[in-house]
Amino acid sequence: MAVLGGGVGGLTAAHELAERGFDVTVYDRRAEWGGKARSFPVPGTATGGRRDLQGEHGHRGFFGFYTNLPDTMRRVPFGDRAHGVWDNLTTVPYLAFNRNDGKGSLFLPTLPPSPRTLDPGTLPAVLEGLLRIMPQLLPQEVVLLARKLAILMTSCDERQFGQWEHTQWLEFIEAAGKSEFYRVMWGGSAKVIQALRPETASARTCGQGISKILYALLGMGPDGPFDRILDGPTSERFIDPWVRHLKSLGVRFVTGHHVESLELGPDGRIAAAHARTAAGPARIDADWFVAALPLDRVRQLWSAEIRAADPRLAAMDRLRTTWCQGIVFYLKETFRGPLAHLSLMDSPWALCPVGQSRFWSDPFTGTWGDGVAADSLSVVISDWETPGMLYGRPARRCTPKEIAEEVWAQLKAGLEGDGDVVLPDGSVHSWFLDPAVTRAADGQLANDDTYFLNDVSSWELRAEAVTAVPNLFLAGDHVRTYSNVDFTCMETANEAGRRAANGVLAAAGADGADEVRLFAGAEPPGFAALKAVDRTRYQLGLPHTLDF
């Protein structure tokens, strides 16, 4: 078994197949494992026996509506922890939506309200935010949005894929002509939460995400609190233990292999993969191949012969990618902002920051860096196309230094209202931009790690984990997934890896008892009956009962 790509999808497929007796080798172009989920040391930043400061592609959120990824995490040993690396997760108490210019911040507890979640320190901010936001809530818009969400939550699968997949989100929620608050909150939320573009995303995808978030916030998440992060750097607390466990199962890991093509043999099967290495060309022979590469890399492997063997693979050419990278600010003092995942709804670049190292179990100053850096503020830049407030250019047209300065200015605008000083001038020790963002020879920025962009009608262009080539399977967040969610995230990649493993097992003639389990997402009681009614209406060509 050759797994091409060592991200979450590839490691998942390797894990499931190794447990079932396959001889697995994982290949990747990098020396680090974990793909976009990994963290990595910032070279030369450690002194006095400490470890290097930690950079990352973007801070990792593990959400309560995930089902498949938590199962994998529980099966990865970590010291004496009963549930493996899953026990390294710690709850983020609040999800906060911040508005500029004193327009209020909406704090949502990530657990159903209790003395633990409504702590005295944050309760005033919760109440203040509600008082400021309430006047912006127009009754007719509240009723409209409630009806729209009810439609999405009770639509049958046939309508989801036959109608809402082909309806743009902003059109579905009737954003045109509505208040600024309505447009910013319900248009921008898709951008900061799901790395989507609200103007091109489908109602099905956005509705799926918002529904899962609401269920989890109401205590119906199948895997605990709505929002958790790891209690240390991602690779240290999750990816590296995972790789060690796979090695203990016999999995081999080969770095420095940039896979460039697949060779289709005369029998219609993949005969070999061909990679570029520092030592020259390399041939990868195997009986079975799982291509677990990002969208923009995997579709480069499809030769004319492979496209002819599976025309669905050719449709992937029309799928789009986007940028969603992270920058980390290392502060000289503890971050003064709330203990929450923050979504800066008015920020031009749709920033999503969190004072990440406040959740880490090891003392930051004594463990990482030079003893001066005291905290790690991790910020995801979700929008690289909109002009910024400082330089007037989108992130893609800025230098790395300008990106850092622009993000800092947008953070201050989004977090500091009414004279509050959350980010004092001079508090930045240093910063680190995701190394996947580099400057090309022409001076423009390039991105080595793009995200699959889930656009309206993109479902029809996405491939299944099992291809028409008998020994070729796919894993990654661009692969169709069915059991829980299907927008770009670690959960999707994990499910795709499980589906690829099941495809291999079926093709190899394995016993059905070996099938990899797929965990479905939660749904409120009674919704199945409502969806059954809608299925009948859809088959009769009638709109949803609430669609008037």
Side-chain angles (χ1 to χ4, degrees):
M1 182 75 234
V3 177
L4 311 177
V8 170
L11 295 179
T12 301
H15 191 163
E16 300 297 346
L17 291 168
E19 284 189 341
R20 290 159 176 80
F22 280 75
D23 181 8
V24 182
T25 304
V26 184
Y27 299 85
D28 202 278
R29 59 196 174 99
R30 293 192 175 103
E32 311 92 5
W33 303 98
K36 291 191 285 288
R38 75 194 190 284
S39 58
F40 28 78
V42 183
T45 57
T47 64
R50 302 174 188 85
R51 302 199 289 273
D52 282 327
L53 294 171
Q54 293 293 303
E56 58 191 329
H57 188 83
H59 55 74
R60 303 268 66 83
F62 297 78
F63 300 107
F65 56 81
Y66 285 4
T67 55
N68 293 287
L69 184 68
D71 172 71
T72 296
M73 297 178 74
R74 290 185 177 94
R75 292 154 50 204
V76 176
F78 192 90
D80 60 356
R81 300 206 164 183
H83 304 103
V85 298
W86 185 87
D87 279 341
N88 291 338
L89 294 175
T90 183
T91 300
V92 181
Y94 291 91
L95 176 66
F97 297 90
N98 284 56
R99 302 290 314 278
N100 290 354
D101 304 325
K103 294 176 182 176
S105 300
L106 179 62
F107 282 78
L108 299 176
T110 60
L111 286 169
S114 69
R116 180 171 179 267
T117 57
L118 292 177
D119 63 275
T122 309
L123 184 56
V126 175
L127 297 177
E128 179 187 0
L130 289 174
L131 289 174
R132 289 188 176 183
I133 283 176
M134 287 299 290
Q136 303 175 56
L137 296 173
L138 302 181
Q140 66 271 25
E141 292 182 352
V142 173
V143 172
L144 173 64
L145 183 67
R147 180 165 60 84
K148 293 292 185 177
L149 292 179
I151 289 172
L152 290 172
M153 292 178 182
T154 59
S155 287
C156 63
D157 290 345
E158 291 83 353
R159 191 183 301 280
Q160 292 282 6
F161 289 96
Q163 182 176 1
W164 306 137
E165 170 67 16
H166 306 290
T167 304
Q168 291 185 350
W169 171 242
L170 295 182
E171 174 190 343
F172 177 79
I173 64 172
E174 302 178 27
K178 299 300 185 296
S179 68
E180 179 200 22
F181 179 82
Y182 186 88
R183 288 183 282 106
V184 169
M185 283 298 296
W186 305 113
S189 61
K191 186 184 298 184
V192 297
I193 295 176
Q194 301 177 47
L196 299 169
R197 294 184 185 173
E199 63 274 10
T200 63
S202 74
R204 181 189 71 83
T205 300
C206 292
Q208 178 191 70
I210 292 175
S211 299
K212 297 290 185 179
I213 289 170
L214 288 176
Y215 298 158
L217 288 173
L218 292 172
M220 293 184 285
D223 198 71
F226 165 71
D227 188 7
R228 286 166 297 182
I229 61 176
L230 290 161
D231 62 359
T234 309
S235 289
E236 290 184 15
R237 311 299 282 187
F238 175 25
I239 301 299
D240 293 345
W242 196 4
V243 171
R244 288 195 295 269
H245 177 58
L246 296 185
K247 287 181 178 178
S248 74
L249 296 176
V251 177
R252 291 179 296 276
F253 288 85
V254 180
T255 62
H257 278 57
H258 189 124
V259 179
E260 295 185 315
S261 65
L262 297 175
E263 177 186 335
L264 191 67
D267 58 354
R269 298 169 61 88
I270 301 298
H274 296 276
R276 171 170 41 91
T277 74
R283 177 186 173 97
I284 300 171
D285 292 297
D287 299 306
W288 313 98
F289 293 83
V290 171
L293 299 171
L295 173 64
D296 55 356
R297 294 187 180 279
V298 75
R299 59 189 176 190
Q300 295 177 16
L301 305 181
W302 310 150
S303 64
E305 294 78 13
I306 291 175
R307 290 166 182 263
D310 188 346
R312 289 204 54 81
L313 300 180
M316 295 171 63
D317 290 343
R318 289 182 282 160
L319 292 171
R320 296 197 302 157
T321 60
T322 188
W323 293 26
C324 188
Q325 256 66 23
I327 184 171
V328 181
F329 291 94
Y330 306 104
L331 307 179
K332 298 175 185 177
E333 61 177 53
T334 301
F335 175 52
R336 301 184 187 181
L339 203 63
H341 257 128
L342 298 153
S343 297
L344 306 189
M345 306 303 294
D346 293 323
S347 59
W349 291 358
L351 304 181
C352 187
V354 64
Q356 181 168 273
S357 56
R358 293 169 68 184
F359 296 91
W360 291 0
S361 57
D362 296 326
F364 189 87
T365 304
T367 307
W368 295 279
D370 58 2
V372 177
D375 208 347
S376 170
L377 176 61
S378 184
V379 187
V380 171
I381 306 170
S382 303
D383 187 337
W384 289 71
E385 308 295 337
T386 300
M389 57 185 293
L390 192 62
Y391 290 102
R393 298 195 302 275
R396 296 181 67 155
R397 299 292 176 260
C398 292
T399 66
K401 181 175 181 293
E402 290 171 342
I403 289 174
E405 293 171 349
E406 180 75 58
V407 170
W408 189 255
Q410 292 184 31
L411 287 173
K412 289 180 72 71
L415 295 175
E416 298 186 346
D418 294 335
D420 296 332
V421 179
V422 178
L423 300 169
D425 294 332
S427 62
V428 176
H429 169 278
S430 55
W431 54 268
F432 185 75
L433 182 65
D434 180 357
V437 177
T438 58
R439 297 190 72 175
D442 60 1
Q444 300 295 316
L445 293 185
N447 190 342
D448 200 37
D449 271 325
T450 59
Y451 275 73
F452 160 59
L453 184 59
N454 206 328
D455 282 331
V456 65
S457 301
S458 61
W459 179 263
E460 295 181 351
L461 307 176
R462 296 165 65 178
E464 302 283 352
V466 178
T467 76
V469 179
N471 65 336
L472 175 63
F473 309 87
L474 305 183
D477 52 24
H478 52 85
V479 174
R480 285 182 173 181
T481 51
Y482 300 86
S483 63
N484 191 9
V485 295
D486 72 346
F487 49 80
T488 302
C489 61
M490 292 183 289
E491 168 72 4
T492 309
N494 183 272
E495 182 184 333
R498 289 167 179 258
R499 291 186 178 277
N502 276 338
V504 174
L505 290 166
D511 189 284
D514 285 332
E515 186 176 59
V516 180
R517 183 177 177 184
L518 296 167
F519 294 83
E523 183 176 86
F527 275 37
L530 296 172
K531 290 182 177 181
V533 172
D534 186 56
R535 182 172 295 108
T536 299
R537 292 182 62 85
Y538 185 77
Q539 292 170 345
L540 294 172
L542 298 174
H544 190 284
T545 305
L546 297 177
D547 191 10
F548 50 82

